[in-house]
């Protein structure tokens, strides 16, 4: 490793001296080249001598009044132009990639947020920018973006990580709801205390629901750690569910579910958008973040 670092430092210095030589060759004057490079004439002269020693050939013929290139010097100038052109091409390509709204955006998000909201938002964004493609990790794994190859992460939390740029998209609470068919069969609920008399659909080992800052005991008819199953079962009339409001919003709008207790919400946490702390994020990422913020107000 030490040897590799030494080689890299040596090559870096050689490249730097080639740049300096290119300026001297362009000016054919150490005085003028030193002024253009904002360095002393003595330092510049020493660097060119070291370059000639590294290449084991003279590049310049110096007299008290003039500087001219040797045949080898002309060849180095010609060859270095190709190197310089390649470096400019790299910069242009990177600049183009930074500015282009195209290519792949890799996201990670909690499963229920990804499948109920994020997928549709990604589709809408791709309609605006057809050259954009998405890969979404739909899971509850909380990846560290400094160590994993994701552009952005969505996370349900009260305390976003401090090593990321965190933007709160919205705060959500929980709603108790049931299907119209369930309410028709078992009657309307007028108080949260009646829940323990009804058929409730809960997560595994969930024996209480927090409502009105109270822990209300509930009896599970079906208990499963899958909110999609719980929502679908509630829509069939199997029982009452307590789920994040954004997760049941569409079912309520479609009148598949009815919110109970006059839309009484239980304060939850927030959905945050996380991004690595990059000085120059690509334009596609900037555009996508603005799109998400606009559509999740």
């Amino acid at each position: 490793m030490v040897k590799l670092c030494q080689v890299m430092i040596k090559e870096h210095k050689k490249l730097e001296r080639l740049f300096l030589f290119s300026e001297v060759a362009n000016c054919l004057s150490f005085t003028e080249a030193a002024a253009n490079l904002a360095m002393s004439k003595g330092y510049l002269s020493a660097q060119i001598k070291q370059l000639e020693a590294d290449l084991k050939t003279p590049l310049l013929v110096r007299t008290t009044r003039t500087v001219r290139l040797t045949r080898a010097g002309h060849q180095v100038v010609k060859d270095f132009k190709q190197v310089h052109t390649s470096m400019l091409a790299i910069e242009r390509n990177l600049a183009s990639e930074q500015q282009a709204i195209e290519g792949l955006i890799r996201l990670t998000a909690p499963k229920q947020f990804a499948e109920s909201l994020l997928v549709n938002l990604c589709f809408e964004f791709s309609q605006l920018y057809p050259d954009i493609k998405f890969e979404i990790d739909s899971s509850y794994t909380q990846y560290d973006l400094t160590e994993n190859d994701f552009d952005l992460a969505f996370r349900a939390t009260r305390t976003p990580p401090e090593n990321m740029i965190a933007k709160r998209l919205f705060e959500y609470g929980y709603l108790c709801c049931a299907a119209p068919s369930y309410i028709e069969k078992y009657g309307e609920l007028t108080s949260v205390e009646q829940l323990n008399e009804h058929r409730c659909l809960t997560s595994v080992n969930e024996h209480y629901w927090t409502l009105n800052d109270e822990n209300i005991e509930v009896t599970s008819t079906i208990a499963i750690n899958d909110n999609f199953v719980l929502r679908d079962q509630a829509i069939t009339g199997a029982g009452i569910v307590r789920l994040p409001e954004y997760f049941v919003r569409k079912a309520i709008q479609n009148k598949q579910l009815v919110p109970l207790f006059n839309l009484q919400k239980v304060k939850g946490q927030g959905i945050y958008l996380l991004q690595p702390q990059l000085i120059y994020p690509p334009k596609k990422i900037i555009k996508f973040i603005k799109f998400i913020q606009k559509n999740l107000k």
Side-chain angles (χ1 to χ4, degrees), residues 201-206 220 222-231 233:
L201 312 175
T202 71
S203 295
V204 176
N205 297 323
E206 186 179 27
S220 297
I222 297 175
I224 183 171
N225 286 337
D226 190 321
N227 285 348
F228 287 90
V229 173
L230 292 176
R231 184 185 61 187
Q233 285 295 304

Side-chain angles (χ1 to χ4, degrees), residues 175-184 188-189 234-235 239-241 248 251-263:
L175 287 176
C176 283
C177 9
S181 60
Y182 179 90
I183 296 172
E184 183 179 346
E188 292 189 14
L189 283 77
I235 289 173
I240 298 170
V241 288
V248 293
I252 291 173
Q253 290 171 347
N254 294 337
K255 303 189 184 305
Q256 295 171 298
L257 292 175
V258 176
L260 307 176
F261 316 123
N262 298 319
L263 277 173

